[in-house]
């Protein structure tokens, strides 16, 4: 492949590795393995903790109390004036 394509691929790999390093850093990321509704109840610090929430799939798929409840829970994450991207 051409040098330009190779550099582009290496750049993308570097970005993905940095993202993985961030996600796996337990000092910066708290992985909570439960539905969003349950997580908000168990961890009230999540309330209004986010400026932006990106949710491409989870709310629609992983809910235990109905879709409306999951969407309401997702809304509780947002700070006033925040944004949900879904």
């Amino acid at each position: 492949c051409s040098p330009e394509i190779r550099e582009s691929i290496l750049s993308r790999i570097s970005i993905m590795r940095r993202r993985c390093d961030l996600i796996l850093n337990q000092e910066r990321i708290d992985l909570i393995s439960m539905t969003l509704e349950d997580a908000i109840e168990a961890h009230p610090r999540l309330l209004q903790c986010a400026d932006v929430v990106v949710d491409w799939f989870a709310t629609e798929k992983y809910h235990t109390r109905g879709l409306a409840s999951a969407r309401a829970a997702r809304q509780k994450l947002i700070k006033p004036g925040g944004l949900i991207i879904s």
Side-chain angles (χ1 to χ4, degrees), residues 11-23:
S11 174
R12 286 183 176 205
I13 290 171
S14 177
I15 290 168
M16 293 300 143
R17 290 191 68 196
R18 286 194 309 269
R19 288 180 183 172
C20 289
D21 289 342
L22 173 66
I23 290 169

Side-chain angles (χ1 to χ4, degrees), residues 50-53 75 77-85:
D51 294 312
V52 177
V53 170
Q75 188 67 39
L77 298 174
I78 300 296
K79 293 178 182 177
L83 176 66
I84 295 176
I85 300 172

Side-chain angles (χ1 to χ4, degrees), residues 19-68:
R19 288 180 183 172
C20 289
D21 289 342
L22 173 66
I23 290 169
L24 296 174
N25 182 343
Q26 293 181 5
E27 293 177 10
R28 296 186 68 187
I29 303 294
D30 186 9
L31 297 175
I32 300 172
S33 183
M34 57 183 68
T35 65
L36 184 55
E37 298 111 318
D38 293 342
I40 288 174
E41 287 179 6
H43 304 280
R45 70 181 188 281
L46 296 174
L47 296 172
Q48 295 187 346
C49 70
D51 294 312
V52 177
V53 170
V54 178
D55 179 12
W56 294 118
F57 183 72
T59 299
E60 307 295 319
K61 179 68 176 169
Y62 302 107
H63 54 81
T64 56
R65 301 175 200 160
L67 185 54

